[in-house]
Amino acid sequence: MADKLKFALALALLAAGVVGFYLLSEQPLVLRVLSVLAGVAAGVAVAWFSEPGRRFVEFAREAVTETKKVVWPSRKETVQTTGLVFAFVVVMAIFLWLTDKSLEWVLYDLVLGWK
């Protein structure tokens, strides 16, 4: 139950920061942005000490570790793959255009006799 209260408090602090942004509409933009950042920081600080917050931090650490294990493609591989995708899109566009025009010709000129 305490974790749910901490999480609710964290959401309330985040909302307070956003509400502060709009309530301070007459103030300089820097102060309004600082209001939002303070709300976010306070919300994160409270959420940090809840069990779901700790699980999220652990999940984020594991995600970073897994991301470091990924073998990213080289620039040459990326350019080649992008070129193949664009070429396929052009070929499919031409194929669909030819199919559309063929069906149009068959239906309107041959079947219906419209000119």
Side-chain angles (χ1 to χ4, degrees):
M1 184 65 171
D3 284 335
K4 289 182 181 179
L5 290 174
K6 288 178 187 176
F7 191 70
L9 178 62
L11 288 177
L13 289 170
L14 177 64
V18 173
V19 168
F21 179 84
Y22 291 106
L23 289 178
L24 298 172
S25 62
E26 301 296 321
Q27 302 300 320
L29 182 62
V30 173
L31 186 61
R32 296 171 68 195
V33 170
L34 285 175
S35 166
V36 173
L37 292 177
V40 169
V44 168
V46 169
W48 182 277
F49 293 107
S50 68
E51 182 59 32
R54 284 190 286 268
R55 283 196 321 253
F56 177 76
V57 169
E58 183 62 30
F59 173 77
R61 285 186 184 139
E62 290 174 4
V64 168
T65 302
E66 291 298 319
T67 304
K68 289 179 182 177
K69 294 179 185 177
V70 172
V71 178
W72 298 100
S74 67
R75 179 177 175 85
K76 181 180 177 184
E77 291 171 330
T78 304
V79 169
Q80 287 175 344
T81 304
T82 304
L84 284 173
V85 169
F86 282 140
F88 180 75
V89 167
V90 168
V91 168
M92 285 305 297
I94 292 170
F95 171 75
L96 291 173
W97 179 77
L98 287 172
T99 303
D100 181 51
K101 290 302 173 184
S102 299
L103 288 173
E104 179 184 341
W105 176 73
V106 167
L107 288 176
Y108 290 126
D109 291 346
L110 298 179
V111 175
L112 297 174
W114 295 356
K115 300 279 180 188

